[in-house]
Amino acid sequence: MKLKEVKFIMEKRILGKTDFQVSVVGFGGIPAQRLNEEQVLELLTEAYDQGMNFIDTARGYMASEELIGYALEKLGRDKFYLATKSMDKTYKGIIEEFNQSLSFLGTSYIDLYQFHNIKTFKEYDQIMSDYGAYKAVKELKEQGKIKEIGITSHSKEVLDMAIDTGLFNTIQYPYNAVETQGEELFKKAKANNIGVIVMKPLAGGAIGKGEIAIRYILDNPNVSVVIPGMDSISQVLQNARAGIDRRAMTEVEKERLAKEASTLGAEFCRRCGYCLPCPQEIDIPSNFLMEGYYTRYNLQDWAKERYGAMSPKASDCIECGICETKCPYDLPIRKMLKDVVEVFN
């Protein structure tokens, strides 16, 4: 697929201590796993044409790396800064994961390699131990296979400590109109010249006003790049517009976004997918999504029809609780699935 000459001017920001001049809106790679090769190629072609030059994926995102690798082979590896990550915490394990990433992505190097979803200080200590993952990643960097090292977490405390070490050039953390607890963390990162990558900009799809939600995030000068997941051309265009048309939010837009955010509270699914797979094969995030359509977006008939077609669904939960041990937000998933059943029964 032939690339057009980039005609849109998207704002760029320097990613911390790196020399990467990244588009303020990047391509989040989680939803790519639901698509095929040609669809991902089409999305990344449009993303580039809209001025995006940063891709974030992960070894744990199923087929995402392989699909993105196919697209990069067609478009040219040099068109994007490429970030991926691994949840492995051991020296040997992360080298194996890294080599898999290189193979799937069809590249000889990774621009930004991140330790993925470090939940606790114990996990952090594990990657920093004598036989831990950091030693391996540092060696790969010395070999030129990795340009920069970053860390992602849903724990503000872990990232606060990681900033103090000076060992990471980027952090990745959730931030949106509902979850603003990272603002002081971002300020500290900027003061230490550490790049800030924002995940969950739409609170896992719970916030429907995409362009406004991203503009809200980009109004924070401490944010380097926001990485909304995208699985359609319309999403690419909407998300890119937030980085191209950098006008200030109006009071009306702020009120609309605040009103939507206020309906969510703290107990809502961000659709990160870490709870999966469910032993009963329930698509847990999709059940919560249908409930949201029913209760928040006045789509009762549409949501009820689609929930009814799910098999298995929330009513098939046996309350084993495995999902709750994997949720980075410590959500009471079993209770929330019961609430879904109540809504649709």
Side-chain angles (χ1 to χ4, degrees), residues 153 155-161 163 171-173 181-192 196 222:
S153 182
S155 167
K156 186 172 63 174
E157 291 74 23
V158 167
L159 292 184
D160 185 72
M161 181 268 296
I163 290 171
I171 60 169
Q172 187 176 143
Y173 188 72
Q181 68 275 10
E183 290 181 348
E184 287 301 314
L185 182 74
F186 298 165
K187 190 181 296 184
K188 179 178 179 179
K190 182 68 175 287
N192 285 271
V196 172
N222 301 315

Side-chain angles (χ1 to χ4, degrees), residues 18-50:
T18 77
D19 61 354
F20 302 166
Q21 192 174 32
V22 299
S23 54
V24 289
V25 179
F27 184 90
I30 292 180
Q33 61 189 285
R34 301 195 290 264
L35 307 175
N36 61 38
E37 290 179 340
E38 294 304 321
Q39 288 171 321
V40 174
L41 173 58
E42 184 180 17
L43 289 186
L44 281 177
T45 301
E46 188 61 52
Y48 179 80
D49 288 344
Q50 294 292 323

Side-chain angles (χ1 to χ4, degrees), residues 168-179:
F168 306 93
N169 282 354
T170 65
I171 60 169
Q172 187 176 143
Y173 188 72
Y175 181 52
N176 51 64
V178 185
E179 300 170 285

Side-chain angles (χ1 to χ4, degrees), residues 63-129:
S64 175
E65 285 185 327
E66 194 167 4
L67 293 166
I68 289 170
Y70 172 84
L72 291 177
E73 181 182 4
K74 305 293 183 182
L75 300 176
R77 168 68 178 86
D78 61 339
K79 298 295 190 296
F80 296 92
Y81 291 107
L82 184 57
T84 192
K85 43 196 180 289
S86 170
M87 294 179 70
D88 202 290
K89 298 170 184 64
T90 66
Y91 181 94
K92 180 180 178 181
I94 207 160
I95 288 180
E96 291 175 355
E97 292 250 298
F98 176 79
N99 287 330
Q100 285 180 331
S101 291
L102 285 188
S103 175
F104 285 131
L105 289 164
T107 185
S108 60
Y109 68 98
I110 300 297
D111 294 295
L112 174 63
Y113 199 73
Q114 302 160 99
F115 298 98
H116 190 188
N117 194 26
I118 306 303
K119 299 177 183 178
T120 63
F121 291 115
K122 182 178 180 181
E123 289 185 356
Y124 178 85
D125 288 342
Q126 187 178 356
I127 68 170
M128 301 305 297
S129 67

Side-chain angles (χ1 to χ4, degrees), residues 49-69:
D49 288 344
Q50 294 292 323
M52 295 185 200
N53 70 354
F54 184 84
I55 297 172
D56 179 271
T57 183
R59 183 80 290 280
Y61 295 167
M62 307 298 285
S64 175
E65 285 185 327
E66 194 167 4
L67 293 166
I68 289 170

Side-chain angles (χ1 to χ4, degrees), residues 267-279:
E267 198 173 282
F268 68 95
C269 174
R270 282 76 166 177
R271 295 173 66 198
C272 63
Y274 290 128
C275 58
L276 301 176
C278 163

